[in-house]
Amino acid sequence: MNKIITILLILLFNGTAMLQNYEFEQSLYYNYEFFKEKSLQNRFFKHSDIVKLISNLKKNNLFDVNVAGKSFEGREIFLLSIGNGNKKIFLWSQMHGDEPTATMALFDIFNFFSDTSNYQDIKKFILSNAKIYFMPMVNPDGAELFKRRNALSIDLNRDANRLQTPEAKILMNVFDSLKADFGFNLHDQNHRYAAGNSFKTAAISFLAPPINYEKQVDSVRLNAIKLIGSLYKMLNKFIPGHIAKYSDDYEPRAFGDTFQRKGTSTILVESGGWQDDQEKQFIRKLNFILLLSAIKQIAENSFKNIPETIYDSIPFNEEKIFDVVFRNLLYEKNGSKIKIDIGINFEEVLDDDKNVVYKKATIEDIGDLSVFYGYTDVDFTGYEISDIKTYTDESITIDELKKLNLTEFYKKGFVNFLIKKSIDKDWVDLPVNLLSNEKKEIRTKISIGARPNFVIKKNGKIDFVVVNGFLQRVSNNSDYKGNGLIYK
Ligand SMILES: [Zn+2]
């Protein structure tokens, strides 16, 4: 078949879907910074930060701002609305306290609608065809501690039927009062998911939650499936291959599944991982674009033309990614030498102010990891693992340590230091481990669950050290980064 006929056939099959250029979305992509809510800069903002922003929004009278209810610890849960069209759209975010990416995007969207000089025609069209309701930060008590569950340690997304938590009750009451056409259930997912059997991170994953164990597609779910198809195509322009589908197992206790069952076309959006975007600011921008795109397509009814086969073609999330993979390292034990890959993940730990995090690394896998990928992924063919050492000639203070030339110590394999007095902290903002007890030892241990601390040699020379999972190239020009742990 010649090329022109092929293209014509695709056009016939896909209808107007093929004709969508997503110009609005491309323009949002380039103009995003103008709308970005600059006071939200990282993942650790709290309820008090959004209270300030919402009281500003109250003043401009564009949004209808209400308190829908209060969390278990008495924090207000807000419901904002804008528009006067027939199509009702309901978006809620952060029912898991440590999943804040979409909340930031909702405030960017509030700025988009508050602005009075750009996209005026599109906004007018949207607001005359749709009424949009927003509930940002459904779980403010969890957000306060940057944890998933609410103050009663209950996962709100397993409380959609029993409704024992005030937050779940509020969400359900608002949902029942709105009977919206479309619902957007906004979450963050593990940053280590890949989009299908690939080495590409699942930056955004979608799901049209099922309505029963049979995963039946009724007309309500079909609309969600069609809209996701269009959003998938659109996002593929910006992040090709980085979009996936979340597990579609039916969960009767979850809100998405329940809302879909109750007649609102519901879309789950999961914000995943992106290289060098720990604070998820790029993923936030993608949320801004995809949510505005969805709102516009609902207002236009244009998603109706999207074939459902696109949704079916979206790859599922796969656990394919480690934070770190070191490959082809030689490792000697009891006289025999083998070649191994090492997969390492970092755990983020909150500091006392629930604000900053340090990292604790763990060896998660050892062996042939050729089917996995790492955010940091290094081939060490020709190198071998060797033991670390603890510098015990003299004990030292942290201030003294900061002035040391670490290169001289790394070259000899010293990555652990004995400190003068014990410190009431678990970590140090330097790529070394500290020991406050002379009798304790920190040794290289290559086993599942161990902390990755070792040196990497070639021809007897130490070229790299790994301290608490952070790789350091040993050289006078290196800028050593990462944090170590304090062993007591
Ligand atoms: Zn979640």
Side-chain angles (χ1 to χ4, degrees), residues 96 99 148 187-188:
H96 294 136
E99 299 179 9
R148 178 181 177 88
H187 290 253
D188 282 75

Side-chain angles (χ1 to χ4, degrees), residues 94-99 148 155 157 185-189 246 268 270:
Q94 212 171 345
M95 71 163 75
H96 294 136
D98 57 352
E99 299 179 9
R148 178 181 177 88
D155 181 341
N157 211 22
N185 188 11
L186 308 174
H187 290 253
D188 282 75
Q189 68 181 4
Y246 200 79
L268 171 75
E270 295 275 356

Side-chain angles (χ1 to χ4, degrees), residues 189 202-207 243-246 268-272 317:
Q189 68 181 4
I204 295 285
S205 295
F206 291 107
L207 180 71
I243 306 131
K245 197 154 58 186
Y246 200 79
L268 171 75
V269 181
E270 295 275 356
S271 292
N317 279 343

Side-chain angles (χ1 to χ4, degrees), residues 324-425:
V324 179
V325 177
F326 297 139
R327 299 183 190 277
N328 301 310
L329 279 159
L330 290 174
Y331 173 53
E332 187 181 329
K333 193 160 187 180
N334 300 343
S336 63
K337 224 177 224 187
I338 56 165
K339 185 174 76 176
I340 55 171
D341 304 332
I342 300 178
I344 294 167
N345 283 340
F346 288 108
E347 176 198 351
E348 291 187 318
V349 188
L350 286 195
D351 206 354
D352 293 340
D353 56 5
K354 309 290 179 209
N355 230 329
V356 236
V357 287
Y358 66 96
K359 289 178 176 180
K360 252 187 204 174
T362 304
I363 296 178
E364 299 284 348
D365 206 350
I366 300 165
D368 177 358
L369 305 185
S370 53
V371 301
F372 296 98
Y373 179 71
Y375 276 97
T376 298
D377 199 306
V378 187
D379 183 357
F380 279 110
T381 299
Y383 286 87
E384 70 182 292
I385 292 176
S386 187
D387 290 342
I388 49 163
K389 289 185 201 156
T390 302
Y391 186 73
T392 51
D393 284 7
E394 51 183 336
S395 59
I396 198 164
T397 67
I398 289 185
D399 285 338
E400 286 166 344
L401 249 177
K402 283 185 178 159
K403 288 175 203 141
L404 283 186
N405 179 2
L406 283 179
T407 306
E408 294 309 313
F409 290 87
Y410 283 167
K411 272 183 185 167
K412 295 173 195 148
F414 292 115
V415 307
N416 310 319
F417 291 83
L418 191 62
I419 43 170
K420 263 194 183 117
K421 51 177 191 258
S422 74
I423 302 168
D424 190 24
K425 255 179 97 178

Side-chain angles (χ1 to χ4, degrees), residues 73-353:
E73 291 180 345
R75 296 185 175 90
E76 301 107 322
I77 297 171
F78 296 97
L79 181 68
L80 294 88
S81 64
I82 189 167
N84 41 36
N86 290 329
K87 297 188 180 89
K88 283 190 190 167
I89 306 169
F90 180 31
L91 305 94
W92 61 97
S93 72
Q94 212 171 345
M95 71 163 75
H96 294 136
D98 57 352
E99 299 179 9
T101 305
T103 303
M104 296 188 271
L106 292 185
F107 282 92
D108 302 336
I109 290 173
F110 299 156
N111 287 347
F112 172 81
F113 283 111
S114 300
D115 157 67
T116 53
S117 47
N118 300 282
Y119 302 102
Q120 290 311 96
D121 290 345
I122 289 179
K123 282 187 260 190
K124 211 174 141 191
F125 174 81
I126 288 173
L127 298 179
S128 59
N129 285 284
K131 181 154 189 182
I132 317 159
Y133 297 84
F134 302 91
M135 188 182 283
M137 199 185 270
V138 176
N139 180 6
D141 300 348
E144 206 65 19
L145 303 172
F146 201 68
K147 64 176 188 119
R148 178 181 177 88
R149 292 169 182 246
N150 81 341
L152 294 159
S153 296
I154 290 175
D155 181 341
L156 301 185
N157 211 22
R158 299 292 178 267
D159 196 29
N161 287 331
R162 205 173 271 187
L163 298 174
Q164 292 301 297
T165 58
E167 298 87 358
K169 270 183 215 160
I170 292 163
L171 182 56
M172 187 58 81
N173 284 342
V174 168
F175 172 84
D176 283 335
S177 72
L178 297 181
K179 298 205 181 343
D181 299 287
F182 266 93
F184 290 85
N185 188 11
L186 308 174
H187 290 253
D188 282 75
Q189 68 181 4
N190 190 334
H191 69 280
R192 299 187 197 104
Y193 283 138
N197 188 13
S198 80
F199 286 167
K200 292 191 167 186
T201 59
I204 295 285
S205 295
F206 291 107
L207 180 71
I211 54 171
N212 50 30
Y213 287 106
E214 292 72 37
K215 304 180 184 179
Q216 178 197 343
V217 178
D218 62 356
S219 60
V220 173
R221 189 171 176 223
L222 182 62
N223 280 339
I225 282 172
K226 286 181 168 183
L227 182 50
I228 290 172
S230 176
L231 296 172
Y232 172 71
K233 270 167 54 84
M234 182 275 291
L235 278 181
N236 248 324
K237 286 187 179 290
F238 304 110
I239 49 165
H242 284 275
I243 306 131
K245 197 154 58 186
Y246 200 79
S247 160
D248 64 352
D249 290 338
Y250 179 57
E251 173 47 82
R253 302 168 300 166
F255 274 97
D257 308 52
T258 304
F259 287 174
Q260 193 95 271
R261 206 171 59 226
K262 287 180 125 193
T264 290
S265 299
T266 304
I267 292 178
L268 171 75
V269 181
E270 295 275 356
S271 292
W274 191 255
Q275 186 82 42
D276 301 323
D277 187 26
Q278 191 166 291
E279 296 308 325
K280 301 238 190 163
Q281 298 302 301
F282 179 62
I283 308 280
R284 161 193 185 171
K285 172 176 171 173
L286 297 174
N287 270 264
F288 170 79
I289 296 162
L290 81 89
L291 293 175
L292 281 175
S293 176
I295 289 168
K296 177 171 167 276
Q297 293 187 59
I298 294 166
E300 294 166 339
N301 233 4
S302 53
F303 68 90
K304 290 267 186 192
N305 301 316
I306 307 291
E308 59 194 282
T309 47
I310 299 180
Y311 180 82
D312 297 334
S313 75
I314 304 173
F316 277 103
N317 279 343
E318 300 252 4
E319 291 187 47
K320 285 263 164 200
I321 298 175
F322 289 103
D323 289 330
V324 179
V325 177
F326 297 139
R327 299 183 190 277
N328 301 310
L329 279 159
L330 290 174
Y331 173 53
E332 187 181 329
K333 193 160 187 180
N334 300 343
S336 63
K337 224 177 224 187
I338 56 165
K339 185 174 76 176
I340 55 171
D341 304 332
I342 300 178
I344 294 167
N345 283 340
F346 288 108
E347 176 198 351
E348 291 187 318
V349 188
L350 286 195
D351 206 354
D352 293 340
D353 56 5

